[in-house]
Amino acid sequence: MKLAIIRIASGSLRTHPSRAGSALSGLSRRCLVAGPTNNGQPVGVRPLSASSGSGTNPRLTANFEKEAVKEDESEYDSYVSDVVQSAKEEMVSLQRRNPTIQPLLAILQAGDNDGILEINRKMARKIGINVTQICLAKDCSEDEIVDELLKLNDDPKVHGIYLHLHPASLTSRVLNVLKTEKDIEGITDLNVGQLVRGDLSKGFVPPVASAVLYLLQQHDGLLEGKTVLLFGGERLLQVSLQCLIERSGMIAVKSHWNAKNLQEQVMQADAVVLLDGENVYIPSSWVRPGAAFICCEPLLETDKTTIGLDSKSGLEYLTAAYRTWNVARSCSRWLEEREYRPWNLRSLKLQPLNPVPSDLEISRAQTPKPVDQLAEEIGLLPEELEAYGRSKAKVQLSLLDRLHSQPNGKYVLVAGITPTPLGEGKSTVTIGLVQALSAHLKLNSFACLRQPSQGPTFGVKGGAAGGGYAQVIPMEEFNLHLTGDIHAITAANNLVAAAIDARMLHEATQSDKALYNRLVPSVNGVRKFSPIQISRLKRLGISKTDPSSLTPQEINAFVRLDLDPSKITWHRVVDTNDRFLRRITIGQASTEKGQIRETGFDIAVASEIMAILALADSLVDMKNRLGRMVVGTSHSGQPVTAEDLGVSGALAVLMKDAIKPTLMQTLEGSPVFVHAGPFANIAHGNSSVLADKLALKLVGQDGFVVTEAGFGADIGMEKFFNIKCRASGLRPNAVVLVATVRALKMHGGGPNVSAGAPLPKEYINENLSMVADGCHSNLRKQIQIAHMFGVPVVVAVNVFKTDTQAEIDLVCQIAKECGASDAVLCNHWAQGGRGCLELAQAVKEAASKPSNFKFLYNTEMPIMDKIRTIAQKVYGADDLELSPEAKNKIDYYNQQGYSSLPICMAKTHLSLSHMPDRKGAPTGFVLPIRDVRASIGAGFIYPLVGTMSTMPGLPTRPCFYDVDLDPVTEEITGLF
């Protein structure tokens, strides 16, 4: 479009340039200026034909003197300066908040005309905005436009999109694709709707409409009650302009050239705005003196009586000024959206029933919020979410960059006393506590839980979604597959195992030359090393990059890993309790040419890759850790890594989605991150560092993140402090120690408890003496362990229906006497968050106190001394007893430079000692270390205590007996 404003006063015509260009018309545009003719007579605005007679090539023209042009150019400069100054102020504010930000305008056009680009680029330089141009073919299709538009929508560097296209190309589909927040021309339905509603805080005013209003204000500052007559134009522009005019206190009257009372309408108007180039003749006598005449029309052919002002005249820059100002506004809003957002969490109502139904029935009775709604409530951006169905989603790690300056919330760990085989409810306490904090105390709170393994889900323990009215929902999705992270770990782990055996086979059956030719093949006549092979060459001290330049000795070193089959430490994994895979023989087929060896399977969550997932703090960190994994030793005693095998890049590819935590929710709508699932008895037993870090940023400075450590405090909590906190740099504010009357009776001398068997009468009937003995032994010891790390402890008594009030009161009393900051009963299983309110208040109080956190040992201590420190101070052992193999391993790790790694003890969870039947707080025992292994990628040494196995077995009656599927409704039964 072109804009010209004509003032009629004292029998002369004078023009003022206005803003040119609009996304509403795809034609090239420029501004025309009209002025008085040489004879001083007023000139009407009328159509002219190519000849003196009537014709079919209309143009709207006006004659003027060059002196008038110069005068108007000067006035134009002042107009543009006003808009540029406002845009500059927006940019100053932007760069004050983020000095590195650089707004970008993208012009998507049909054809390669650079006129619009140069106009906008020159104006953008004045303001400090970048401009890019995407030129499609003149006859481009709708699909081509949409494809380019989608790319621009997804490009975070682009803050404004200008569709410089023919009106016919601006179809509903194109407009619906354009992101509203990047629609700086204000042409999408949502932007127009916001303008009509009067909400200008999010949308954009079309620059043409802004320009017209600006010129009206310059023409006559007193706009109240003035009448503006609008002719023609695209509907979007007409609607937008009408809204702006009326909101400014003027009266907008829409008309058309065939109106019977056209002359009357023009004569009564204080301003006439022509929105298109229809054939029209308006005598100057119709326009009342002092009225404004604004002409917006497509550029038409000109003749010698018409002077068009091209880009060099500067008049068109008013258009670019408004456009770039909108880009600056868009960028400012983009920054605001990325700042920390206060939560607007909507809690889900609970209606607890008595008796309490099954976990599965409770889960199904509650309808979870759509995960995108939950994400919005806690301040996540849409692009930070990857939905997996309706109820769960992965969260992008870019959130950490966005909220890097946001202070962390309070960090609370839930641990427990030494449990019975039935478990004591740490997961339910974690969920109940978060529900109490968020749904009832209205404090931002996040639970961070481990993903359950299918081993216990179908074995003895069942799922890990919590229970009763303190659950993660949907519990079936939580307990089965989730988002496939454990499957990714299984695939990655077994790829390494396959690579090990394949490499040994090929090295055993090929010469150096044959190996080299296959490892570094010629492709299309070009032979080169892959990046991962370059890395191996550097580790070997070979700086060459030309495959043809290696000597025979260098080729031998490069192609021969020379793995010792007896010293391969890498096992295959499967996410099932399968005792018969603990020791197997592989390579028995004739095709493997006698490469037979013994190996075994671990359960998937015992894989070092699971530990790496849990401890990595970025994708780069995870990739580096995967490459450092030691899979075995060569015959010469050198460690062989996953990177030596050439597989580390592929592992990162398999794990690239698994590194993102999964967002779910509790029964009361509180947010939960589910991520990683290492066991605490055979690994470090904590959810991921990344989940905790993301949650701590999201809850804000006054919020709470509650995470859980597996099994008893002697195992999960100790590893949380000494391994996880070292890796993350995070420091806990408080520990919740979960205890049950049932477990305390066991530690006080009660009979053994077995899964699937009825509880002995000692656990059903009141027995204060047994409870007291359990408190003075195991509970006291676990509180002391927490105090070794300088963290306040709150004891949470997880109540069962067989507990008496006297027993509960006794536990709380003794716990306080043993040094707990507080001890409270929890009834979340039956009441949800309301049953954990007292615990929430106690945790809030404890976390507000200064923490004197400290590690148990210095990692620079010798490996033996670190193991002994844990054995004596945490477990209560007198000393260690190392097998010859364990001693040799420690010597080897010292030689390889691994001595400064922290320790991850693999020990039974059923006792503080290595003997599952020794309850309470055993003393006077020597801790046997039968083997010592190293997870170099994960970053710890793990001694194996006693007969600890990394592959569980199934009981006589596993949980899977009760699990079934209704083929009609597809409902699952039997999960718990």
Side-chain angles (χ1 to χ4, degrees):
M1 287 184 175
K2 64 181 179 181
L3 291 177
I5 179 168
I6 305 172
R7 288 184 183 145
I8 308 298
S10 304
S12 66
L13 290 175
R14 178 166 171 247
T15 67
H16 296 267
S18 177
R19 166 156 194 223
S22 167
L24 297 175
S25 179
L27 303 176
S28 299
R29 286 138 172 96
R30 63 186 179 183
C31 300
L32 297 182
V33 178
T37 60
N38 290 336
N39 59 15
Q41 296 301 313
V43 177
V45 180
R46 59 184 178 84
L48 298 177
S49 63
S51 64
S52 57
S54 61
T56 58
N57 184 22
R59 19 175 128 71
L60 191 62
T61 65
N63 298 323
F64 56 89
E65 291 180 337
K66 291 184 179 180
E67 289 78 6
V69 175
K70 292 180 182 179
E71 177 186 349
D72 288 335
E73 284 181 350
S74 175
E75 191 167 357
Y76 157 81
D77 288 339
S78 69
Y79 294 168
V80 173
S81 296
D82 290 345
V83 181
V84 168
Q85 184 59 36
S86 297
K88 281 184 175 180
E89 290 172 3
E90 189 87 44
M91 281 297 299
V92 169
S93 174
L94 263 177
Q95 295 186 332
R96 191 179 298 125
R97 289 151 55 194
N98 188 337
T100 63
I101 196 71
Q102 187 61 59
L104 176 63
L105 166 65
I107 300 174
L108 180 60
Q109 68 180 59
D112 55 3
N113 186 346
D114 289 338
I116 287 294
L117 174 66
E118 292 307 316
I119 294 170
N120 285 279
R121 182 174 285 165
K122 189 170 183 180
M123 184 58 60
R125 278 197 294 266
K126 292 177 179 288
I127 297 170
I129 288 174
N130 289 340
V131 181
T132 188
Q133 180 187 36
I134 300 93
C135 295
L136 301 176
K138 284 187 177 181
D139 57 350
C140 60
S141 66
E142 183 183 63
D143 287 342
E144 290 173 316
I145 296 172
V146 168
D147 288 344
E148 288 298 330
L149 202 48
L150 289 171
K151 294 175 186 176
L152 295 174
N153 280 345
D154 293 338
D155 189 345
K157 296 177 183 177
V158 174
H159 301 99
I161 300 172
Y162 171 27
L163 299 182
H164 186 56
L165 303 168
H166 191 278
S169 297
L170 296 171
T171 62
S172 295
R173 181 185 172 204
V174 169
L175 295 180
N176 287 335
V177 168
L178 177 58
K179 264 191 176 180
T180 304
E181 56 267 32
K182 294 188 179 185
D183 171 28
I184 46 99
E185 298 293 316
I187 59 176
T188 59
D189 291 346
L190 184 57
N191 266 331
V192 174
Q194 287 172 332
L195 179 61
V196 171
R197 194 172 64 242
D199 180 10
L200 302 182
S201 62
K202 295 181 180 179
F204 294 99
V205 176
V208 174
S210 296
V212 170
L213 188 66
Y214 177 83
L215 291 171
L216 289 173
Q217 292 169 337
Q218 299 305 310
H219 170 66
D220 189 345
L222 300 175
L223 302 179
E224 188 74 30
K226 303 290 186 181
T227 299
V228 179
L229 187 62
L230 302 177
F231 283 103
E234 292 101 338
R235 179 163 177 77
L236 290 178
L237 175 58
Q238 190 182 79
V239 169
S240 300
L241 189 53
Q242 180 183 352
C243 291
L244 287 176
I245 288 172
E246 291 176 350
R247 196 161 292 120
S248 299
M250 294 179 281
I251 301 169
V253 177
K254 291 185 289 185
S255 187
H256 54 85
W257 302 117
N258 296 325
K260 294 181 180 179
N261 58 342
L262 179 60
Q263 178 178 355
E264 180 183 350
Q265 289 177 333
V266 173
M267 295 184 70
Q268 291 178 353
D270 298 292
V272 178
V273 180
L274 176 63
L275 297 176
D276 57 27
E278 292 188 39
N279 297 345
V280 60
Y281 171 73
I282 300 179
S284 59
S285 60
W286 286 15
V287 183
R288 58 195 282 187
F293 191 101
I294 301 176
C295 178
C296 314
E297 63 180 69
L299 175 67
L300 303 171
E301 293 181 12
T302 61
D303 57 22
K304 61 184 180 180
T305 64
T306 303
I307 298 180
L309 300 175
D310 60 22
S311 60
K312 292 181 181 179
S313 71
L315 295 176
E316 291 90 341
Y317 289 99
L318 189 57
T319 298
Y322 279 105
R323 182 173 294 119
T324 50
W325 189 5
N326 274 357
V327 174
R329 287 169 173 162
S330 174
C331 186
S332 178
R333 292 172 187 171
W334 182 84
L335 273 184
E336 288 172 4
E337 285 179 353
R338 275 147 184 77
E339 293 174 354
Y340 179 77
R341 296 180 179 183
W343 283 23
N344 184 27
L345 188 67
R346 180 180 68 85
S347 298
L348 300 178
K349 300 298 181 184
L350 275 186
Q351 293 180 332
L353 301 177
N354 191 7
V356 176
S358 71
D359 293 348
L360 196 52
E361 289 174 313
I362 293 172
S363 175
R364 286 207 183 120
Q366 185 70 288
T367 302
K369 294 177 283 189
V371 71
D372 55 346
Q373 177 187 327
L374 173 65
E376 183 179 3
E377 289 175 356
I378 62 175
L380 286 167
L381 302 178
E383 59 265 31
E384 292 169 340
L385 211 64
E386 295 177 12
Y388 281 64
R390 183 182 182 277
S391 305
K392 56 187 183 293
K394 289 284 192 181
V395 173
Q396 295 278 359
L397 303 186
S398 58
L399 172 68
L400 287 175
D401 295 327
R402 178 168 70 87
L403 299 182
H404 71 278
S405 61
Q406 171 68 20
N408 287 339
K410 303 292 185 182
Y411 197 26
V412 178
L413 174 69
V414 175
I417 64 171
T418 304
T420 68
L422 306 177
E424 308 318 307
K426 293 189 305 299
S427 297
T428 61
V429 170
T430 300
I431 297 164
L433 173 57
V434 167
Q435 289 182 162
L437 288 165
S438 59
H440 299 275
L441 295 186
K442 304 303 179 184
L443 297 170
N444 294 353
S445 302
F446 231 111
C448 291
L449 301 175
R450 290 173 294 164
Q451 178 183 352
S453 162
Q454 286 183 181
T457 298
F458 292 113
V460 176
K461 188 172 176 288
Y469 288 100
Q471 290 189 59
V472 178
I473 55 172
M475 68 94 78
E476 305 103 302
E477 295 183 23
F478 179 92
N479 285 318
L480 301 174
H481 306 299
L482 197 64
T483 48
D485 294 356
I486 292 181
H487 300 314
I489 289 165
T490 302
N493 184 99
N494 293 343
L495 179 61
V496 175
I500 292 169
D501 290 305
R503 186 59 176 264
M504 288 197 299
L505 170 66
H506 296 310
E507 287 189 22
T509 56
Q510 298 181 47
S511 65
D512 288 358
K513 181 179 179 181
L515 274 172
Y516 192 55
N517 287 338
R518 286 176 171 84
L519 288 171
V520 193
S522 176
V523 180
N524 296 325
V526 178
R527 194 178 190 190
K528 63 179 181 179
F529 295 115
S530 68
I532 201 166
Q533 290 175 328
I534 295 287
S535 297
R536 172 158 170 75
L537 288 170
K538 288 180 179 178
R539 289 195 303 278
L540 292 171
I542 302 171
S543 58
K544 300 174 182 177
T545 57
D546 181 2
S548 64
S549 65
L550 267 64
T551 66
Q553 293 79 13
E554 291 170 336
I555 289 175
N556 176 268
F558 174 74
V559 301
R560 299 285 171 185
L561 299 181
D562 196 27
L563 273 161
D564 183 344
S566 66
K567 294 184 178 178
I568 293 173
T569 57
W570 196 264
H571 282 188
R572 288 167 170 82
V573 299
V574 63
D575 195 33
T576 304
N577 291 358
D578 193 344
R579 66 176 71 246
F580 286 92
L581 292 178
R582 290 172 179 168
R583 178 60 56 185
I584 62 170
T585 302
I586 62 171
Q588 297 188 75
S590 59
T591 51
E592 275 53 75
K593 303 178 181 180
Q595 298 298 308
I596 299 172
R597 70 181 182 92
E598 283 194 353
T599 182
F601 272 76
D602 296 331
I603 193 163
V605 291
S607 169
E608 182 176 355
I609 297 176
M610 174 61 87
I612 287 172
L613 177 67
L615 292 171
D617 65 4
S618 67
L619 188 57
V620 171
D621 184 35
M622 183 182 73
K623 183 179 178 181
N624 291 336
R625 287 173 180 265
L626 291 170
R628 291 198 301 268
M629 293 187 305
V630 174
V631 302
T633 307
S634 69
H635 284 96
S636 61
Q638 294 303 307
V640 177
T641 66
E643 193 162 17
D644 291 325
L645 282 169
V647 75
S648 57
L651 300 181
V653 170
L654 286 171
M655 295 293 295
K656 71 178 181 66
D657 292 319
I659 197 173
K660 304 165 191 172
T662 299
L663 177 66
M664 295 188 76
Q665 62 193 284
T666 72
L667 281 165
E668 296 192 59
S670 306
V672 178
F673 273 142
V674 187
H675 202 212
F679 285 170
N681 53 353
I682 55 179
H684 73 284
N686 288 272
S687 64
S688 76
V689 165
L690 281 168
D692 291 356
K693 285 190 170 184
L694 290 170
L696 285 165
K697 293 298 182 184
L698 284 169
V699 297
Q701 191 167 9
D702 298 322
F704 288 82
V705 171
V706 184
T707 189
E708 174 204 355
F711 296 124
D714 56 304
I715 298 181
M717 184 184 73
E718 181 270 316
K719 294 171 184 177
F720 173 87
F721 291 144
N722 282 322
I723 297 176
K724 185 176 180 179
C725 287
R726 287 186 203 271
S728 68
L730 301 173
R731 300 294 180 261
N733 299 96
V735 166
V736 174
L737 191 65
V738 178
T740 63
V741 169
R742 177 179 69 193
L744 289 169
K745 285 181 177 180
M746 181 186 71
H747 291 297
N752 288 336
V753 175
S754 299
L759 281 173
K761 59 181 177 59
E762 289 85 351
Y763 296 98
I764 299 173
N765 301 325
E766 183 177 285
N767 191 322
L768 297 179
S769 175
M770 201 176 285
V771 170
D773 288 345
C775 288
H776 287 299
S777 57
N778 196 268
L779 179 60
R780 180 191 298 275
K781 178 62 176 176
Q782 303 287 17
I783 293 172
Q784 290 172 350
I785 294 170
H787 285 164
M788 289 179 192
F789 295 92
V791 183
V793 179
V794 175
V795 171
V797 183
N798 188 15
V799 174
F800 286 76
K801 61 183 179 181
T802 54
D803 301 342
T804 68
Q805 190 62 47
E807 289 173 328
I808 295 169
D809 291 343
L810 182 61
V811 175
C812 293
Q813 174 191 330
I814 297 176
K816 294 175 185 176
E817 293 171 357
C818 293
S821 300
D822 205 346
V824 298
L825 66 87
C826 300
N827 206 12
H828 48 278
W829 184 81
Q831 300 177 9
R834 190 172 301 282
C836 245
L837 273 172
E838 194 176 355
L839 175 63
Q841 294 285 8
V843 167
K844 182 182 176 185
E845 177 68 23
S848 66
K849 298 176 182 177
S851 175
N852 299 310
F853 178 79
K854 56 183 179 294
F855 294 115
L856 185 64
Y857 54 80
N858 188 321
T859 54
E860 298 304 318
M861 292 168 57
I863 293 175
M864 274 283 292
D865 290 350
K866 286 182 283 192
I867 298 173
R868 182 177 286 108
T869 298
I870 296 171
Q872 293 177 338
K873 291 189 176 181
V874 178
Y875 306 153
D878 286 346
D879 206 351
L880 302 175
E881 181 184 7
L882 274 71
S883 69
E885 183 180 3
K887 291 178 181 178
N888 292 335
K889 290 282 190 70
I890 290 175
D891 291 340
Y892 174 73
Y893 297 146
N894 286 332
Q895 293 170 9
Q896 295 299 326
Y898 303 151
S899 61
S900 61
L901 295 176
I903 304 299
C904 181
M905 303 289 282
K907 182 187 79 71
T908 179
H909 61 288
L910 296 174
S911 173
L912 282 163
S913 72
H914 61 287
M915 299 166 282
D917 293 336
R918 293 284 300 274
K919 306 302 182 183
T923 58
F925 64 93
V926 175
L927 194 72
I929 308 296
R930 68 174 174 88
D931 195 7
V932 179
R933 299 176 185 173
S935 291
I936 304 305
F940 53 70
I941 303 290
Y942 68 101
L944 275 69
V945 179
T947 57
M948 194 66 220
S949 172
T950 52
M951 169 57 84
L954 289 171
T956 304
R957 193 187 189 284
C959 297
F960 61 65
Y961 273 87
D962 301 311
V963 179
D964 203 356
L965 177 72
D966 185 323
V968 176
T969 64
E970 296 187 11
E971 285 193 347
I972 297 170
T973 58
L975 279 180
F976 68 95

